[in-house]
Amino acid sequence: MTQPTRPTPELLAELRKPRPYPAVSVTLPTHRHWPESQQDHIRLRNLLGEAEKRLADDPEVTKAQAAAVTQHLAAAADEIDPEYFGDGLIVYASPEEHRSFLVGGSVPERIVVNTTYLTRNLVALEARERPYLVLVLSTGEVRLWRGRGDQVAEDHEWGFPVISSGAEREKAPSRDGGQWTTQDFRNMLMDADRKLTGVLRATPLPVVLVGLSKHLSIYREVTSHGQAIVVDLEVGGLTHTTPAELSAQLAPARQALADGDTARARHALDEARSGKRYAAGVQDVWQAAGEGRVAVLVVEEGLRVTARPETVEGAERATLTLLDEEEADTEGAEEDIVDSLVETVLTADGEVVFVPDESLADAQGMAAALRY
């Protein structure tokens, strides 16, 4: 089945569970619009053909297993409509099942055959596209929207939209917004703020505040939720906007939310460093993760490390031998050890944060705040 929606933490945990070999993961960057999306379907067929060949050439895979996985890969391709492609596509297949996800973030072109699915890209997507609230202020009403990534939908619960009781909402706005300083307008904003209290109690999410400069200023004066408002976006004329139009306007706000996540990750690492609970570089982080000590793992989005886990003094997979990418086919090597590392941290109830490339140049692309 194709999943165009974001995976839940529960689904991610289920996908990370070990599976009998071979568990195949295929990722492909795609295009949202025709005619490029039509070519994506051809590229997908070619990539799945390459996966089929790898299974046929793998001495550890029986003919029956290869045939079963190939059948599931073909079924996954048949279920995918290029009209609904996003920025990337992820396909999972084993002898027993297949799943596919249309994602809104970029992914590399890869085929991985292992005993687990490659969930790193879905984990990054889930972290990058965490939910948020949008409060849209206008002359005579306040509307509430919910967003996740670039998908937004208006929320009509909790008493929203809040409508002004005054006749001034029918008037043309003055250039300086002076008419909105009336008590009627302030009452509407205070009513909306009271209703927002219940929303935040049920779902404590960051809030993006949208409106003209005067709107934003007055709401900031009356709100009791200043700490929840993380972004002010000065845009007007969104009273009757469509989800697609609002999503486009929210692009700077989404970037600000992502920048805030990066800053918080940096702060967590700084605190860990001062408290001597810090590890940097794949070798040290790998060892700490194997011991269940990683509380927060911070990884550059594009980091890939080919390595072979080694057993030391009876401790299985305790350390790594780093390899060149050309050595990925050697016995025991993993094409990208970061995938396993992410899964290890998540399985131990740690947090994983992906940051832009070059953000952790001083730590070779990876660092961790440790529990002890």
Side-chain angles (χ1 to χ4, degrees):
M1 53 184 172
T2 301
Q3 304 274 354
T5 56
R6 275 70 182 170
T8 63
E10 293 75 19
L11 177 57
L12 285 172
E14 196 277 327
L15 290 172
R16 286 197 304 271
K17 291 179 180 178
R19 285 166 166 76
Y21 190 84
V24 177
S25 305
V26 176
T27 63
L28 178 71
T30 56
H31 301 82
R32 291 177 177 266
H33 305 295
W34 187 90
E36 290 87 354
S37 60
Q38 297 295 319
Q39 297 299 315
D40 289 337
H41 209 281
I42 297 173
R43 292 170 54 232
L44 174 61
R45 291 287 185 181
N46 292 338
L47 198 59
L48 296 185
E50 183 180 339
E52 180 180 355
K53 183 177 185 303
R54 285 182 57 172
L55 292 172
D57 294 341
D58 192 331
E60 298 183 37
V61 179
T62 67
K63 289 184 178 181
Q65 288 173 326
V69 175
T70 298
Q71 184 176 1
H72 277 294
L73 289 173
D78 289 339
E79 294 172 2
I80 298 170
D81 188 344
E83 182 178 349
Y84 298 102
F85 275 166
D87 299 312
L89 172 66
I90 300 173
V91 177
Y92 300 129
S94 70
E96 294 80 26
E97 65 174 354
H98 67 270
R99 307 185 192 218
S100 51
F101 296 85
L102 307 174
V103 300
S106 62
V107 298
E109 184 171 317
R110 295 182 65 186
I111 301 170
V112 177
V113 184
N114 209 327
T115 56
T116 57
Y117 289 141
L118 171 63
T119 59
R120 170 183 176 176
N121 299 110
L122 286 182
V123 171
L125 177 73
E126 195 273 339
R128 183 170 58 245
E129 300 193 342
R130 62 190 180 94
Y132 55 92
L133 300 172
V134 184
L135 208 60
V136 179
L137 314 178
S138 63
T139 311
E141 61 188 35
V142 179
R143 294 184 174 271
L144 176 68
W145 294 70
R146 291 181 181 269
R148 189 179 180 94
D150 59 2
Q151 301 298 306
V152 294
E154 188 169 0
D155 190 332
H156 294 283
E157 303 296 328
W158 305 98
F160 285 92
V162 177
I163 308 297
S164 168
S165 62
E168 74 234 26
R169 68 176 183 269
E170 304 298 334
K171 301 177 183 178
S174 61
R175 180 177 296 274
D176 63 358
Q179 74 177 68
W180 296 318
T181 63
T182 64
Q183 191 58 45
D184 179 76
F185 182 71
R186 297 177 74 91
N187 288 343
M188 179 187 70
L189 296 187
M190 289 188 289
D191 187 20
D193 196 63
R194 285 190 292 269
K195 290 178 168 59
L196 183 62
T197 299
V199 178
L200 291 174
R201 284 175 179 169
T203 53
L205 297 173
V207 178
V208 177
L209 194 61
V210 181
L212 295 178
S213 176
K214 193 66 175 182
H215 294 173
L216 305 178
S217 176
I218 297 176
Y219 189 84
R220 285 286 190 177
E221 293 175 6
V222 304
T223 184
S224 59
H225 304 298
Q227 291 185 334
I229 301 171
V230 296
V231 182
D232 284 3
L233 194 60
E234 190 175 336
V235 181
L238 298 180
T239 304
H240 303 294
T241 188
T242 66
E245 291 168 344
L246 180 59
S247 177
Q249 294 288 349
L250 288 172
R254 288 193 295 270
Q255 184 58 55
L257 289 171
D259 292 343
D261 290 339
T262 299
R264 281 187 290 275
R266 268 291 189 184
H267 180 68
L269 293 179
D270 290 342
E271 286 193 332
R273 194 196 304 264
S274 63
K276 302 187 185 303
R277 295 178 291 100
Y278 176 81
V282 63
Q283 192 72 261
D284 289 347
V285 173
W286 175 268
Q287 184 172 352
E291 297 166 354
R293 295 194 292 129
V294 174
V296 181
L297 172 65
V298 185
V299 186
E300 291 182 359
E301 292 181 350
L303 181 65
R304 291 180 63 180
V305 180
T306 301
R308 180 176 62 246
E310 307 286 3
T311 298
V312 179
E313 297 180 355
E316 187 178 359
R317 296 171 67 87
T319 187
L320 296 174
T321 295
L322 302 183
L323 305 171
D324 294 330
E325 289 187 16
E326 295 76 15
E327 300 176 276
D329 292 334
T330 60
E331 184 177 357
E334 295 190 25
E335 179 182 350
D336 188 2
I337 204 70
V338 177
D339 300 334
S340 295
L341 185 51
V342 167
E343 291 171 5
T344 298
V345 171
L346 291 173
T347 300
D349 295 324
E351 179 184 358
V352 179
V353 180
F354 290 88
V355 297
D357 291 346
E358 307 302 326
S359 299
L360 298 171
D362 58 336
Q364 296 82 53
M366 175 185 300
L370 308 180
R371 294 189 171 101
Y372 57 90

